């Protein structure tokens, strides 16, 4: 018997399914792309249990002819390309002819289809390795695909699926991308009968579509961009720098209507904004690129999520320059809302400070070690407890604020020299510790609102909010649902007072939770995610760099620092203060 | 332009208008004040584009004209002048020469043409009210104005005139104050507008300096409002937007009605509030038969408790408030006794004076 044998079709299909069908969202993606390729103007997606139990995608597209119905179920059967040359000019979303057989091989698969000009439709049923059964049936024009018990015969895959909520989130994100790329179609997503997204009206403009999906706050803060040359046409919308996010979740790229991930484009966006955005803040972009199919290769990954440009440099430059051109034109920079906390640091100034610090350190090292001289800059080496005791003494004794520099740093005098305090970092530390202890003791009090605030959320974040409503309530937010993706804030944490933007805070918190794909506050202690949320809250609630402080406010800050268990660094690890001892001052002025 | 003025009068006028001078500005002209001549008077004006203040003072005019001069510097100079009078003359290129006895100053001015135009109002559409009434209405509502710029319509006092009544309302979303009075205006006159807090602050500063029995005339044009009292006019841009439907959130009914001495409630709240923490400020009001126990507690600090005798005989209940909200109302209510109207620990509380059309609504805290 020969050792090397051809694999059976069934095995081939399953291997292929492994590549194309990772999770329920992949199924939805393949089916949606088929629907779009079929010219549908109305697509409805229904899922149950995150898509693991049931996925149903129905469209009003052209349907499949009788003689094609069974062929469609075979591997590499496609109507979209016919010869090798066509591969270089792919215009449709799907083309590999792998989707249907792959899906069918790992699920209980059903299809009902009727071309518009036929009187009867056909129903096909297929499950795992069984042969398809074909039956005549009456049905609406178009195609409906029903996928049940996904991965029922590949338990290994099933085991790797995340929670239903996570799978739903993946599907929501995917439908969102499709909805963005085709604002002309009516699309909706339902889970277990409840609406998650849409139905979005037909024939929306791209901007209307963005507004329906992400709310008017986003839509009102967009700058339209448009640019083209002989090869590329770029259009879309980018957020004004004042509206930015802690991650790149709001960056959408579409190449010839196909939603793609691209580090290249992500980098180009970052470069286009340049110093308009602070470190680790991301703009939101909705960029639609049309490019001749010859110049891209979509066939490098089975899910077609990634794409290769034949001339990457040209593409990069084109995007950077387009963004820069429009950002400059719009004079988007001087909006007052832009939070100065995120101001890009003045590099020259930073350099000077760093120089001074390193100078200071080397001097300290080489000179005689007096016990009174402490190197506050090299925190790692601290024995915190001992340091704290001594430090508190110096603080409580005589630490007096003297002045504020650049509305950012506070100069204070201690019993043993001079302190330079970063006001934002210091307040962050103080607030962080206060919030943590209030939360730990279940002591966050909540102020009810006489006039509630409206909150519009993108659908992904809306789901996260719903899943974590308990946690937010513990945080002092009382939020109730008010129509689709729209919420009402009835009560807010009392500790922030009037000076913060609660909507921004909530949306930052939700973004963080969605990034880590978890549930917050599920464990009794303070896990990493909850901790991250405290950091966001602390940052938002704190005095910003650039805020003018009165003497009383400076004194309050020092008092607050004094109560902290780790007063030397902010929750993100930056130092809150630099110290220069009297001894050191004397040395520098050559008195000693 | 050539004028001569009394030092004291000019100083007073400068003091009034300097409130709208910008100290630092990207537009240098805004740090100047404008001096313009009329027949027998001069008009001093300052503006920061949002808010303008003008003050008319007497002067002898030898040559009419107008100029603008750096405001703070001029104010300092005039205060230090040696005699009670001084002359001011504008030569070519807005060079200003100021002489008093032997002291001579030369200042670089800027042309009047560069100074922003301050909106003018035709007196015909104005209405007037007594200064003390206006002052009282503002005083009783200004403390609950919001400072949250994301809800900018709340960052001012809402004023409406309808059917011969003037109302002022402010809310920061957590509490609200409302006051109403009758004034003598045409019953058909109807106005609804939001006066920004900055204008309120400056207006109050000026009103406090004026005598009691003065009429203030108020006029509104497009998105501007002006208040004119004696020789002073304040003009401000209005907040553009829709004030929330405040009537909806004022409770119409209550289960509990209590009358208390204002002073008692105020002092007790203050006393107890000392032991509420800065970050989760709340004071608990526990009602039981014939008594109201007020208490506060902060982890790691301690607690406080005090008791008032009250005429309460409903079912026991507890409610938490930010003490600042209570103290603000009681400090400004100007009535020896107040009535508290409550329903339960989730619904707002209404505080009313024993007489007068005033009320404050405060939302409770969940403690």
């Amino acid at each position: 018997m020969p050792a090397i044998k051809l694999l059976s079709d069934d095995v081939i299909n399953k291997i292929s399914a492994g590549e194309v069908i990772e999770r329920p969202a992949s199924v939805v993606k393949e089916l949606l792309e088929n629907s779009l390729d079929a010219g549908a103007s109305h697509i409805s997606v229904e899922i149950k249990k995150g898509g693991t139990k049931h996925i149903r995608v129905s469209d009003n597209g052209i349907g499949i002819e009788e003689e094609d119905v069974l062929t469609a179920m075979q591997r590499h059967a496609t109507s979209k390309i016919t010869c090798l040359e066509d591969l270089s000019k792919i215009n449709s979303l799907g083309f590999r002819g792998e989707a249907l057989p792959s899906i069918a091989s790992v699920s209980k698969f059903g299809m009902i289809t009727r071309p518009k000009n036929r009187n009867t439709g056909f129903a096909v049923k297929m499950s795992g390795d069984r042969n398809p059964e074909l039956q005549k049936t009456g049905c609406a024009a178009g195609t409906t695909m029903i996928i049940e018990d996904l991965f029922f015969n590949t338990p290994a895959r099933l085991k790797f699926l995340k929670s239903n909520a996570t799978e739903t989130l993946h599907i929501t994100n995917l439908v969102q991308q499709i909805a963005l790329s085709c604002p002309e179609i009516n699309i909706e997503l339902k889970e277990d009968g409840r609406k998650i997204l849409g139905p979005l009206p037909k024939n929306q403009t791209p901007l209307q579509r963005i507004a329906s999906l992400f709310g008017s706050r986003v839509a009102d803060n967009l700058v339209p961009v448009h640019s083209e040359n002989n090869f590329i046409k770029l259009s879309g919308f980018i957020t004004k720098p004042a509206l930015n996010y802690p991650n790149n979740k709001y960056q959408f790229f579409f190449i010839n209507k196909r939603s793609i991930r691209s580090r290249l484009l992500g980098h180009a966006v970052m470069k286009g904004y340049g110093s308009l955005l602070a470190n680790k803040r991301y703009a939101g972009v909705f960029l639609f690129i049309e490019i001749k199919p010859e110049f891209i290769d979509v066939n490098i990954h089975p899910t077609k999520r990634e794409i290769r440009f034949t001339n990457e440099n040209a593409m990069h430059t084109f995007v950077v320059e387009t963004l820069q051109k429009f950002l400059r034109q719009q004079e988007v920079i001087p909006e007052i809302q832009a939070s100065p906390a995120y101001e890009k640091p003045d590099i020259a100034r930073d350099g000077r400070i760093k120089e001074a610090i390193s100078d200071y350190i080397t001097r300290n090292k080489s000179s005689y070690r007096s016990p009174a001289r402490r190197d506050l800059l090299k925190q790692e080496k601290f024995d915190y407890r001992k340091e704290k005791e001594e430090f508190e003494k110096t603080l409580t004794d005589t630490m007096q604020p003297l002045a504020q520099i650049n509305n950012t740093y506070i100069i204070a005098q201690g019993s043993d020299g001079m302190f330079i305090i970063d006001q934002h970092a210091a307040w962050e530390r103080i607030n962080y510790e206060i919030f943590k202890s209030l939360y730990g003791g279940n002591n966050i009090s909540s102020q009810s609102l006489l006039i509630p605030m409206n909150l519009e959320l993108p659908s992904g974040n809306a789901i996260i909010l719903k899943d974590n409503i308990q946690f937010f309530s513990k945080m002092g937010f009382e939020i109730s649902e008010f129509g689709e993706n729209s919420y009402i804030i009835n009560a807010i944490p009392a500790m922030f007072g009037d000076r913060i933007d609660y909507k921004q805070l909530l949306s930052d918190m939700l973004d963080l939770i969605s990034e880590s794909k978890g549930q917050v506050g599920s464990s009794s202690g303070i896990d990493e995610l909850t901790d991250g949320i405290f950091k966001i809250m602390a940052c938002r609630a704190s005095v910003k760099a650039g805020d003018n402080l009165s003497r009383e406010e400076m004194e309050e800050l020092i008092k607050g620092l004094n109560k902290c268990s780790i007063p030397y660094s902010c929750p993100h690890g930056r130092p809150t203060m630099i110290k220069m001892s009297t001894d050191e001052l004397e040395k520098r002025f050559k008195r000693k | 332009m050539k004028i001569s003025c009394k030092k004291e009068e000019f100083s007073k006028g400068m003091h009034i208008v300097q409130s709208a001078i910008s100290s630092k500005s990207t537009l240098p002209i805004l740090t100047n004040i404008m001096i313009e001549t009329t027949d027998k008077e001069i008009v001093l004006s300052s503006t920061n584009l949002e808010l303008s203040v003008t003050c008319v003072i007497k002067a002898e005019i030898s040559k009419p004209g107008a100029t603008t001069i750096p405001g703070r510097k001029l104010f300092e100079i005039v205060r230090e002048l040696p005699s009670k009078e001084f002359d001011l003359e504008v030569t070519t290129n807005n060079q200003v020469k100021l002489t008093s006895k032997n002291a001579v100053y030369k200042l670089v001015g800027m042309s009047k043409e560069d100074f922003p135009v301050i909106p003018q109002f035709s007196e015909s559409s104005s209405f007037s009210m007594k200064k003390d009434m206006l002052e009282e209405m503002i005083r009783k509502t200004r403390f609950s104005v919001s400072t949250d710029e994301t809800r900018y319509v709340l960052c001012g006092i809402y004023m409406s005139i309808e059917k011969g009544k003037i109302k002022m309302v402010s809310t920061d979303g957590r509490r609200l104050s409302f006051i109403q009075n009758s004034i003598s205006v045409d019953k058909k006159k109807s106005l609804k507008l939001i006066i920004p807090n900055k204008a309120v602050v400056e207006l109050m500063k000026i009103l406090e300096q004026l005598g009691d029995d003065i009429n203030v005339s108020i006029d509104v044009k497009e998105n501007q409002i002006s208040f004119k009292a004696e020789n002073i006019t304040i003009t401000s841009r209005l907040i553009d937007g829709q004030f929330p439907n405040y009537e909806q959130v004022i409770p119409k009914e209550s289960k509990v009605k209590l009358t208390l001495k204002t002073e008692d409630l105020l002092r007790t709240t203050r006393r107890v509030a000392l032991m509420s923490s800065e970050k989760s400020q709340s004071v608990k009001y526990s009602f039981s038969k014939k008594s109201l126990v007020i208490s506060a507690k902060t982890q790691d600090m301690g607690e406080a408790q005090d008791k008032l005798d009250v005429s309460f005989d409903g079912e026991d209940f507890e409610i938490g408030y930010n003490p600042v909200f209570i103290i603000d109302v009681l400090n400004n209510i100007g009535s020896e006794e107040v009535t508290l109207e409550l329903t339960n620990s989730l619904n707002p509380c209404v505080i009313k004076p024993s007489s007068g059309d005033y009320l404050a609504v405060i939302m409770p805290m969940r403690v």
Side-chain angles (χ1 to χ4, degrees), chain A residues 151-162:
Chain A
F151 300 135
F152 76 101
N153 54 356
T154 50
R157 183 63 84 177
L158 196 57
K159 224 164 65 190
F160 278 102
L161 289 183
K162 296 267 168 41

Side-chain angles (χ1 to χ4, degrees), chain A residues 510-521:
Chain A
L510 290 169
D511 283 346
L512 182 79
I513 301 172
S514 91
E515 214 177 337
S516 57
K517 300 196 174 73
Q519 190 115 15
V520 261

Side-chain angles (χ1 to χ4, degrees), chain A residues 506-545:
Chain A
L506 271 172
S507 103
D508 278 4
M509 285 160 84
L510 290 169
D511 283 346
L512 182 79
I513 301 172
S514 91
E515 214 177 337
S516 57
K517 300 196 174 73
Q519 190 115 15
V520 261
S522 44
S523 60
S524 54
I526 293 177
D527 51 29
E528 205 178 316
L529 181 56
T530 318
D531 196 56
I533 285 181
F534 287 127
K535 287 178 186 168
I536 290 182
M537 286 169 50
C539 179
R540 286 278 164 201
S542 297
V543 158
K544 307 280 184 265

Side-chain angles (χ1 to χ4, degrees), chain A residues 283-511:
Chain A
V285 300
F286 306 89
L287 293 181
F288 302 91
I289 296 167
E290 281 172 43
I291 185 165
K292 292 212 173 116
E294 299 93 283
F295 295 108
I296 47 171
D297 184 359
V298 288
N299 202 11
I300 56 169
H301 191 269
T303 64
K304 299 167 241 164
R305 246 333 231 140
E306 279 162 35
I307 205 164
R308 190 168 292 151
F309 300 99
T310 43
N311 189 342
E312 300 202 320
N313 274 345
M315 192 65 215
H316 188 264
T317 319
F318 183 73
V319 174
V320 173
E321 283 177 355
T322 308
L323 259 56
Q324 282 176 345
K325 188 173 97 193
F326 282 90
L327 285 169
R328 275 190 211 125
Q329 266 178 13
Q330 293 285 326
E331 286 262 339
V332 276
I333 311 127
E335 278 208 5
I336 321 152
Q337 301 163 335
S339 156
Y342 297 124
E343 238 165 37
K344 213 161 182 189
D346 172 355
I347 293 165
R349 195 176 70 203
D350 274 7
R352 283 199 300 277
I353 292 174
K354 267 193 198 124
E355 223 173 79
I357 292 172
S358 70
D359 185 10
Y360 169 65
I361 292 171
T362 41
R363 269 168 164 277
N364 257 4
K365 269 187 191 153
S366 58
S367 58
Y368 147 75
R369 270 173 200 273
S370 123
R373 191 184 308 131
R374 258 165 266 120
D375 190 349
L376 268 166
L377 307 163
K378 300 188 82 191
Q379 300 156 36
E380 310 84 1
K381 288 185 182 168
F382 279 164
D383 170 355
Y384 273 135
R385 204 170 310 148
K386 191 168 149 266
E387 276 299 321
K388 199 196 154 211
E389 277 169 21
E390 292 188 31
F391 182 77
E392 263 190 8
K393 239 190 294 158
T394 46
L395 275 180
T396 40
D397 279 355
T398 48
M399 198 152 165
Q400 286 286 338
L402 300 176
Q404 199 186 10
I405 308 178
N406 287 347
N407 284 345
T408 303
Y409 306 100
I410 293 168
I411 305 275
Q413 176 182 297
S415 61
D416 181 33
M418 176 180 91
F419 292 86
I420 306 173
I421 305 169
D422 179 321
Q423 63 189 39
H424 178 65
W427 261 122
E428 252 182 336
R429 162 56 63 186
I430 300 167
N431 282 330
Y432 173 71
E433 293 202 358
I434 290 175
F435 298 163
K436 235 167 131 168
S437 94
L438 285 175
Y439 180 81
N442 230 339
N443 267 334
I444 296 185
S445 51
S446 170
Q447 169 71 55
S448 308
L449 290 179
L450 193 57
I451 298 171
M453 303 183 196
N454 258 333
L455 181 69
E456 264 182 67
L457 289 174
S459 41
N461 278 358
I463 295 173
I464 292 168
L465 178 64
K466 248 186 255 173
D467 286 353
N468 292 294
I469 207 101
Q470 253 341 84
F471 170 77
F472 282 103
S473 145
K474 197 176 170 194
M475 282 287 187
F477 281 106
E478 209 180 288
I479 301 167
S480 56
E481 214 170 333
F482 184 70
E484 211 174 318
N485 297 338
S486 188
Y487 291 81
I488 291 225
I489 310 176
N490 289 312
I492 50 179
M495 58 213 176
F496 295 127
D498 220 2
R499 62 169 175 240
I500 74 160
D501 183 344
Y502 290 93
K503 294 183 198 174
Q504 181 73 48
L505 174 69
L506 271 172
S507 103
D508 278 4
M509 285 160 84
L510 290 169
D511 283 346

Side-chain angles (χ1 to χ4, degrees), chain B residues 128-143 157 159 166 168 179 181 183 195 199-218 227 229 331-333 358:
Chain B
S128 73
M129 61 193 289
K130 282 270 177 282
K131 175 229 149 183
D132 31 348
M133 185 197 275
L134 178 63
E135 206 178 349
E136 184 205 343
M137 292 182 81
I138 294 177
R139 200 181 56 243
K140 289 186 176 174
T141 48
R142 67 191 279 193
F143 57 83
I157 295 182
M159 179 174 104
I166 179 165
M168 286 197 194
I179 187 163
N181 271 310
I183 52 167
I195 310 164
V200 171
V201 170
E202 294 308 328
L203 177 65
M204 280 302 266
K205 271 193 211 160
I206 286 164
L207 289 180
E208 278 159 14
Q209 296 173 26
L210 299 172
D212 272 351
D213 207 27
I214 287 170
N215 271 322
V216 181
S217 100
I218 303 171
F227 298 88
N331 267 337
N332 289 293
I333 201 160
Y358 176 68

Side-chain angles (χ1 to χ4, degrees), chain B residues 272 282-286 292-296 318-321 367:
Chain B
V272 171
S282 81
V283 165
K284 203 157 64 179
Y285 294 78
S286 318
L292 164 59
V293 173
I294 305 181
S295 62
E318 280 181 1
I319 189 161
Y321 290 110
V367 217

